[in-house]
Amino acid sequence: MSTIRPPLRPGRPDPWAALATMDAPVRALFEVIAAADHPDRPDLAAIGAALVTLSHDHDYLAPRLVEGPGGISRIRLHVPTRGPRLQIVRRPRGGMSPVHDHGSWVVVASIAGVETHRHYRVEGDGPAARLVRVAHDEVTPHTSLTLTAPDDMHDHGNLEGTGDPSWLLVINGDDPSAYTRQEWDLPTGTHRILHPGDGGRFLDGEPIPG
């Protein structure tokens, strides 16, 4: 892959500037991201391959896989104010996210366990809008999946009967809460607008804010 630096995205920090402060495995990933995140067409295949490489680094990742209360983990490996950020996410057994979008590209790879990932298309407008599922994938250990806005409406997590919940590496191309987005309640088909600053619900069983 080319090491030519792509143009900086407006309003974003220089992605090369923070590389020296990162742990070596994370720095290797973000060197790929810095070269691949072109504003016109990010090379998500290259980023996915680099994320899979990181998913194999047991010595670096294993000490960080600490399960939080209720089986929920959100472990920040590199989360700047804006621009690409890397976390490890784990939802509990049987826990799925609401259907949502991100407003930017996203790449995920499983370290261990199985992550169900379902991709949707919104058909219709206003009260007649509805979700149509267009893909159903199981992200197994050391495989990756990518989405690009605006075609990034999805939910993901653990479905009962699919195996252990995944320890999932997640790279967002930018802070999702910086964008106006949508969140859907799959059982009722209702949806709401997430305004900037609203991160949305983590699990689909959580109450919808009134």
Side-chain angles (χ1 to χ4, degrees):
M1 185 185 64
S2 171
T3 57
I4 296 174
R5 300 187 180 194
L8 292 180
R9 292 174 180 264
R12 308 277 187 88
D14 182 352
W16 298 84
L19 292 177
T21 67
M22 298 178 188
D23 295 338
V26 175
R27 182 169 64 249
L29 169 64
F30 274 84
E31 286 173 347
V32 174
I33 294 172
D37 189 18
H38 196 285
D40 295 331
R41 183 175 294 180
D43 187 350
L44 299 188
I47 297 172
L51 194 61
V52 168
T53 296
L54 178 59
S55 77
H56 284 278
D57 194 336
H58 179 270
D59 290 344
Y60 181 74
L61 294 173
R64 292 163 170 79
L65 303 185
V66 178
E67 186 173 303
I72 294 172
S73 298
R74 303 178 77 170
I75 301 159
R76 297 155 66 100
L77 297 182
H78 178 64
V79 182
T81 303
R82 293 295 302 268
R85 70 261 336 279
L86 174 65
Q87 301 182 76
I88 301 171
V89 176
R90 191 173 201 246
R91 285 179 170 80
R93 187 175 298 276
M96 293 290 292
S97 74
V99 178
H100 62 284
D101 58 354
H102 284 295
S104 66
W105 58 262
V106 61
V107 181
V108 302
S110 176
I111 301 166
V114 177
E115 184 85 355
T116 294
H117 195 284
R118 301 181 296 196
H119 184 195
Y120 300 86
R121 180 176 63 248
V122 179
E123 293 189 349
D125 297 306
R130 64 188 183 96
L131 291 174
V132 177
R133 189 186 303 171
V134 295
H136 181 128
D137 295 288
E138 306 292 348
V139 184
T140 55
H142 315 307
T143 63
S144 67
L145 183 145
T146 69
L147 286 174
T148 306
D151 185 24
D152 65 330
M153 194 67 66
H154 66 287
D155 63 357
H156 60 104
N158 180 262
L159 287 178
E160 292 286 358
T162 59
D164 291 333
S166 175
W167 291 98
L168 193 71
L169 288 162
V170 180
I171 306 172
N172 291 104
D174 198 11
D175 177 7
S177 68
Y179 296 85
T180 299
R181 303 179 296 130
Q182 295 185 63
E183 181 186 274
W184 289 72
D185 183 61
L186 200 57
T188 64
T190 59
H191 71 283
R192 66 188 184 112
I193 300 299
L194 299 177
H195 296 287
D198 187 346
R201 297 176 296 152
F202 188 69
L203 295 171
D204 62 357
E206 295 173 351
I208 300 173

